[in-house]
Amino acid sequence: MAAGAALLALSIAPLSFAAPPTFSKEEQRLRKAVDDAEMCFHFAGEFNGDGSARDKEVARQQRKHCGKESQQLVLQAYRKNPQDVRLYPAVLRLDGLMPGLTLPAAEKARLCAVAKTELACP
């Protein structure tokens, strides 16, 4: 019985990981902006505010990944094509992190239903 459960768990496990979004050669700048949004979100949760060496490293990473230009590129692409599901996780991660960006509840729910971005969705 335990072997059967283990086999079932192994067969389901690969289905739980989504493939990273695919961007064309011409969209590599947008791909980097989407990746930066993920890293910006990640490092926002790492900052302790205690002035430690770790905080200094986190601040350095935030400067590297939380650039306004990159964030604007994601939002411009999303506004141009709000049905582009590749952008949903990045837009959800930038929600609340980016000054002036707060998604309406209905829009956030729509994106969350598709993206299932655990940390950014309730």
Side-chain angles (χ1 to χ4, degrees), residues 43 46-63:
F43 284 110
E46 296 284 320
F47 194 75
N48 291 322
D50 61 7
S52 65
R54 176 68 182 144
D55 267 6
K56 289 177 180 143
E57 174 59 19
V58 168
R60 189 179 73 73
Q61 290 296 329
Q62 285 177 320
R63 285 190 301 276

Side-chain angles (χ1 to χ4, degrees), residues 88 92 103-116 120-122:
Y88 290 8
L92 286 164
L103 294 172
E107 185 175 5
K108 185 172 183 172
R110 179 180 71 84
L111 299 182
C112 284
V114 175
K116 296 178 177 41
C121 296

Side-chain angles (χ1 to χ4, degrees), residues 85-104:
V85 297
R86 302 172 305 168
L87 303 174
Y88 290 8
V91 171
L92 286 164
R93 287 180 177 114
L94 291 175
D95 179 41
L97 281 181
M98 192 175 165
L101 175 63
T102 303
L103 294 172

